[in-house]
Amino acid sequence: MNAPASGAATRSSLPRVVAASLIGTTIEWYDYFLYGTSAALVFGKLFFPHSDPLTGTLLSFLTYAIGFAARPLGALVFGHFGDRVGRKKLLVVSLLLMGGSTTAIGLLPTYDSVGVAAPVLLTALRLVQGFALGGEWGGAVLLVSEHGDRRRRGFWASWPQGGAPAGNLLAAGVLSLLTTVQSDADFLSWGWRVPFLLSALLVAVGMWIRLAVDESPLFKAALAAQRSRETVEQPPLVSVLRHHWREVLVAMGARMAENISYYVMTTFVLTYAVTHAHFGKQSALNAVLIGSAVQFALIPLFGALSDRVGRKPVYLVGAVGVGVWAFVFFGLVDTHSFGQLVLAVTVGLVFHSAMYAPQAAFFSELFATRMRYSGASIGAQFSSVAAGAPAPLVATALLKDYGSATPISVYVAVAAVLTVFAVLCARETRGQDLADVEAPTADTTPVAKPATA
């Protein structure tokens, strides 16, 4: 392919694409993490009021986990159409679905008003959130990866990854502000609804920015080439499972420690800090706020580092780091010192950043263009069912059964071992031209043309 087909963008268009992807992912993660934070702090009381506090939280986290079940379906649907009609169109749909469902949660009646219908409606809207997020991540990182050049792809593609800590920062920040200015009674009565209703305004801003960017030039070139051949393509899912199944398994394994450690150290820690270590809600939220701010600053730095030393070395440092830090993490929280709590969360998120930052470029470089949305999304989102979905639920159950955080640390460490193995089995992709990643023939394994200087 010629140079434009390789995905290079003009200097003026690339920052605009990055901004659109970052703002969109920030809004979607704000919506998603807002649910997780609320599940840890208030949903147990509002939607499962007849259970004891820890059981209510457990049931609340169950609805949180159910949202992950819809993410693979979102990955399949959005991946299919994203590989057929383009990345941009599907990103607009995902943003509308996420924003609409989040706003609707802010309007839900509670258990005291409508009984069992309340948690049922809450679960249904959580499923819509999961479906939308299952399609969002792959499209956002691919839009940037396919616009940028290979030399700095790790840096530029890491910016949409910054949407996760930015969204968490925004969600925790809004909730922290409300818990500061409101009494507990007012917050439980109506204050918790405000952050969900704010999503409607954020989505309007995100849509305005996202609609202004161009479709991926690499995708347009690949689509034109396919049409010129006048051949019938297999569905992207079939092509991915036939030609790129090893890469899918690598992506799934690479996500295990990244996903589990993140939800333990940002969502479950809120429950642990408040109910077990006896911190106030405000202190727990502030610790996550500080850690998320540090992570947002570090993600592009780790992305740039992966451009220099490779995706695998940076990723492995993060995986080994969270596996070891898990045994330090809860000991620091148990000191009942706010400074130690902040240290525990922040260092945990530093190691997480080393995995999360290069992940966008790493996964993008594993798959051919006409199946890249499907491949990256399937690898990322199917693993979330086994990793991120049950993480707060498993951690809460382990704490309830053993009364100790040690089994939770072991849980995170086992995930780290799986991730290290998966990354070691992968090929190094730094410097790979995305236009050179080809779908192999039926009787060969996935290959890519050698990267040139």
Side-chain angles (χ1 to χ4, degrees):
M1 287 188 185
N2 54 25
S6 68
T10 64
R11 290 183 179 273
S12 60
S13 64
L14 183 55
R16 185 168 64 246
V17 171
V18 170
S21 292
L22 172 60
I23 291 173
T25 54
T26 297
I27 293 169
E28 296 232 17
W29 282 111
Y30 164 81
D31 292 348
Y32 208 70
F33 285 133
L34 183 61
Y35 189 104
T37 305
S38 298
L41 298 178
V42 298
F43 281 174
K45 299 175 182 177
L46 296 172
F47 294 94
F48 306 99
H50 299 306
S51 304
D52 66 80
L54 199 55
T55 301
T57 300
L58 196 62
L59 292 171
S60 184
F61 276 146
L62 182 59
T63 67
Y64 174 79
I66 285 172
F68 283 79
R71 286 168 68 168
L73 179 60
L76 292 173
V77 173
F78 281 83
H80 175 86
F81 289 103
D83 282 328
R84 285 296 177 87
V85 303
R87 291 41 168 140
K88 176 182 172 179
K89 295 182 179 69
L90 274 298
L91 286 174
V92 170
V93 174
S94 69
L95 189 60
L96 286 173
L97 284 175
M98 179 66 84
S101 59
T102 303
T103 302
I105 289 174
L107 300 172
L108 278 181
T110 62
Y111 187 94
D112 288 341
S113 299
V114 296
V116 73
V120 170
L121 291 171
L122 180 68
T123 302
L125 291 173
R126 179 61 175 171
L127 287 169
V128 177
Q129 280 191 323
F131 179 78
L133 191 61
E136 163 68 23
W137 181 84
V141 300
L142 293 188
L143 196 64
V144 176
S145 294
E146 293 179 345
H147 270 85
D149 66 87
R150 64 190 179 196
R151 291 179 180 85
R152 303 194 68 195
R153 185 178 298 120
F155 171 73
W156 288 114
S158 69
W159 280 98
Q161 301 290 77
N168 203 4
L169 185 66
L170 189 58
V174 172
L175 286 170
S176 179
L177 176 63
L178 288 170
T179 57
T180 299
V181 302
Q182 289 186 309
S183 65
D184 286 346
D186 285 341
F187 184 73
L188 282 173
S189 175
W190 60 271
W192 68 272
R193 299 180 183 276
V194 174
F196 288 92
L197 297 176
L198 282 176
S199 180
L201 177 61
L202 295 174
V203 168
V205 175
M207 287 292 294
W208 175 66
I209 296 172
R210 187 161 275 187
L211 286 170
V213 302
D214 295 327
E215 180 57 81
S216 156
L218 185 61
F219 171 80
K220 289 191 289 187
L223 181 61
Q226 172 61 33
R227 288 174 175 171
S228 69
R229 290 193 292 268
E230 297 183 350
T231 57
V232 178
E233 285 185 299
Q234 290 182 319
L237 173 61
V238 174
S239 298
V240 167
L241 296 181
R242 185 179 184 185
H243 301 311
H244 282 301
W245 61 269
R246 288 182 178 84
E247 283 77 4
V248 169
L249 291 178
V250 165
M252 291 177 67
R255 286 270 285 179
M256 296 302 291
E258 178 265 305
N259 234 213
I260 288 174
S261 66
Y262 190 77
Y263 289 107
V264 167
M265 294 178 182
T266 60
T267 301
F268 171 72
V269 71
L270 297 175
T271 296
Y272 186 86
V274 172
T275 64
H276 192 78
H278 307 297
F279 282 95
K281 291 179 184 178
Q282 186 68 44
S283 296
L285 285 168
N286 286 343
V288 174
L289 274 170
I290 294 169
S292 296
V294 172
Q295 184 179 33
F296 181 78
L298 285 178
I299 280 179
L301 298 180
F302 278 120
L305 182 62
S306 76
D307 287 326
R308 288 182 171 272
V309 304
R311 317 298 185 215
K312 291 176 63 175
V314 177
Y315 212 112
L316 288 170
V317 167
V320 173
V322 294
V324 174
W325 189 250
F327 292 94
V328 181
F329 182 85
F330 292 102
L332 292 174
V333 178
D334 287 339
T335 63
H336 310 293
S337 164
F338 176 70
Q340 300 281 56
L341 173 63
V342 171
L343 179 65
V345 173
T346 302
V347 174
L349 291 180
V350 169
F351 287 124
H352 177 267
S353 299
M355 293 183 286
Y356 199 56
Q359 190 179 96
F362 184 31
F363 288 8
S364 298
E365 291 159 346
L366 292 174
F367 302 96
T369 300
R370 292 289 282 153
M371 58 188 79
R372 184 170 291 129
Y373 202 145
S374 294
S377 296
I378 291 169
Q381 303 307 334
F382 272 68
S383 61
S384 68
V385 176
L393 190 64
V394 169
T396 303
L398 289 172
L399 179 63
K400 185 176 182 180
D401 289 344
Y402 293 95
S404 167
T406 301
I408 305 172
S409 300
V410 173
Y411 170 53
V412 175
V414 170
V417 171
L418 292 174
T419 291
V420 168
F421 176 76
V423 174
L424 288 175
C425 290
R427 59 183 172 85
E428 178 56 63
T429 61
R430 177 177 67 96
Q432 178 67 59
D433 192 322
L434 292 181
D436 290 343
V437 184
E438 296 178 342
T441 58
D443 58 350
T444 62
T445 56
V447 296
K449 295 179 182 178
T452 57

